[in-house]
Amino acid sequence: MERFITEANLQQFAATLAGKKHVLAPVASGGTTCFRRLVPGMRLDFSRMAVISPKDATFPRNETLLLVQRYVEESGKKLELKEQLPEGECIVIGSRPCGARGKLIFDPVYETEAIKDPYYLRRRDNTLFITLSCDRPESTCFCHSVGSNPADGTGSDVLLTAVEGGFFARAITPKGEELLADALFEEAGTRAEEAAAKQTKARELMGQAHDFSSAAAKLLERFDDMGFWQAQSNKCISCGACTYMCPTCYCFNITDDEAGLVSRRLRSWDNCMSHTFTLEGSGHNPRGTKAHRLKNRVGHKFSYYPDLHASQIACCGCGRCIKQCPAGVDIRQVVMAAQEYVDER
Amino acid sequence: MSQLEELKAAIRGHLDSLDCVIGWEQGYDPLHATPLFIRNESDLERLSISPLAVHNPATYATGFAGKKIGMVVRGCHSRSIIELLNEKLIERENVVLFGLCCDGVVSQRKIRTALPADPGFVEAVEIGDDALHITLAGEKTTIKLQDVLADKCRICAYPDPLLADVLIGNKHDSRPEETLACQEAFEAKPNAEKFTFWQDTMSRCIRCYACRNVCPMCVCQDYCIAASRDPLWMSQENSPAENFMFQMIHVSHLTGRCTECGECERACPVDIPLMLLRRYMNKQVQEVFGHQAGTSLDKTPPLLTFQVEEARIKERDW
Ligand code: SF4
Ligand code: SF4
Ligand code: SF4
Ligand code: SF4
């Protein structure tokens, strides 16, 4: 199904939807653009890619897994556990193809024969993505090098492309078709061609893709070369900016918040760049330095994950980790350094 | 000889005796610099000291414990080094300081606001004496450096390194202590308004701790109370209150130690104006203890020591 919508009507469509459902959309505030829950008075900002990915929709930075209530009665102590499964539908409007596609990396991990993560699965199944294709790549974009492109609809329900006066909208899933049935969407007319031309132009602007196919093996070759990893991680400050910005990073922490007789089991984002991530109870830390940790982050995305999951690189090329890194660590450079490594000994 | 060449010559003379010299080079695009760890001549060739070179090399100083390193430092960076020395976190004989008399660095946030489109679309940058000429998505834009200078640089009282082994550039005339209009305007707001502001702003915080890890004075980050489980000082809940609580911890642990380098605010990926909190605390420290971190050697931060009678705290007159 193909439709057209003016920008004003898209804002209106989002606002109406937000009255009924949980809508996450890029909103500008405080000089930056982040995905926020849309509430009356907010406008969508399509002018730039949101700083943080839309991962929050399917994998929130923080969620309560269960509530524990303790009772102390004359007859003895009692314990009540309440599972807190997420309710309701969420609609992400204005994600970019990379951000919408990033969540697909979660599936082989959170939905296996042995393990099914009910929280993630519920959210994933109840979240729709209305994605905006990109008309110009940023200096940090490399989706075309990891099997995607600036008009990739994989992982989305609707794909929008900016055309004269508004957006050309293409439904990708049946749920997407339902969304486009709204009266604010008009006949697409000849706009499909205009959109196709825009998409081709954007792809051309990206230039030649880099070939990462040797990365998995080459990174493994450098596994024990800590000198290499020390040099690569010199400037890294071991913060969590890269992982928390990343649409594909899926690691979490679980803590219990106790308050008297009530406690909450929380799941929150965690990241492999932090010292405490692998700190063991004994005090031993198998990834005690930032060199070990950067090796893991890059190795996991470009080598270990693809080895386990049908050669799929666990990076969608959004460039957020590069753009937001306070030290300017560039994951592309690190992988290429391993690919191009020549032993000079 | 240009300042850059002068600096390169000075570094070249020391390279053999140092593990590395920390400076800057061009980063992932022409608008961004990144820290450079110089170990040989080809690294040295890439050195850049343009106003885009913002990172505080002192952030990395404690990571090289026991090794001898060099650092290219601007005025504010030298204050961080002095504070690290004063707290005995690094040793003087282990650092060689290449000081730059500094005319200020940019704020990427201000550049982003000044540009007609996202800086991600940058194609080329030409750095003039007082302006940046940026080609963005095919269009050329000129921004005056004055307009995008980092806040700390606009009120910097110490543009020339207060400690250096080699000094490059021309010293500035002494500058008066100044305050920032945006700081004063914020502080003058009623509490209810400040509360609403932080509620909203802190909802963006993702607790990535970039602000903590980039801080040259935050040296116990691997054992931070924000991540301790036993005792569980802080909830991992990502709410404005908890996120703000972390900033209160950071700012109080930095009392009398913060050198106002601005790195915490610069590092924050979601642009939280953390310096509003840091500057406020520093002002209190100056009023109560007459102390300004990192401005003179051999001074202990007031909360790391104890005076029976504090000169400015009139306990007995109450
Ligand atoms: S790569 Fe950058 S963002 Fe990631 S931990 Fe290191 S310094 Fe932080
Ligand atoms: S690793 Fe970096 S570029 Fe790749 S998906 Fe994550 S944030 Fe984006
Ligand atoms: S850098 Fe910003 S987002 Fe990260 S913890 Fe600090 S204030 Fe929060
Ligand atoms: S708190 Fe911020 S301004 Fe103060 S020393 Fe640390 S990074 Fe610099």
Side-chain angles (χ1 to χ4, degrees), chain A residues 31 36 139 235 238 253 257, chain B residues 29 60 112 120 200 213 229 235:
Chain A
R36 299 190 69 158
S139 60
K235 56 190 174 187
S238 271
N253 192 4
D257 258 22
Chain B
D29 71 20
Y60 301 101
R112 192 197 308 141
D200 184 58
N213 288 22
R229 280 184 174 235
S235 168

Side-chain angles (χ1 to χ4, degrees), chain B residues 205-211 247 268-270 272 274:
Chain B
C205 170
I206 46 169
R207 289 249 225 126
C208 66
Y209 300 128
C211 50
Q247 292 307 328
C268 178
V270 292
I272 297 181
L274 298 169

Side-chain angles (χ1 to χ4, degrees), chain A residues 57-113:
Chain A
T58 43
F59 187 65
R61 56 186 78 173
N62 192 213
E63 69 185 320
T64 303
L65 299 180
L66 56 92
L67 289 175
V68 182
Q69 173 77 56
R70 294 183 194 79
Y71 300 93
V72 186
E73 288 160 3
E74 272 175 28
S75 52
K77 292 179 185 169
K78 262 200 332 196
L79 193 73
E80 203 176 87
L81 301 178
K82 268 194 228 132
E83 193 177 35
Q84 300 287 297
L85 280 171
E87 303 286 348
E89 244 187 16
C90 174
I91 302 186
V92 179
I93 308 183
S95 58
R96 300 301 174 102
C98 49
R101 187 175 163 266
K103 67 176 184 304
L104 302 179
I105 297 300
F106 283 58
D107 291 350
V109 183
Y110 286 163
E111 190 178 30
T112 68
E113 277 305 316

Side-chain angles (χ1 to χ4, degrees), chain B residues 136-161:
Chain B
L136 195 72
E139 309 263 328
K140 216 169 178 176
T141 311
T142 294
I143 310 179
K144 283 218 193 75
L145 268 172
Q146 258 318 310
D147 297 341
V148 291
L149 223 46
D151 282 345
K152 65 170 178 181
C153 303
R154 292 183 41 211
I155 54 159
C156 180
Y158 309 99
D160 306 328

Side-chain angles (χ1 to χ4, degrees), chain A residues 128-164:
Chain A
L128 301 180
F129 279 79
I130 302 180
T131 299
L132 174 65
S133 70
C134 302
D135 47 20
R136 183 176 279 276
E138 295 191 24
S139 60
T140 43
C141 292
F142 60 107
C143 58
H144 64 323
S145 302
V146 290
S148 181
N149 66 74
D152 191 346
T154 325
S156 299
D157 297 278
V158 172
L159 185 73
L160 303 173
T161 304
V163 290
E164 193 62 40

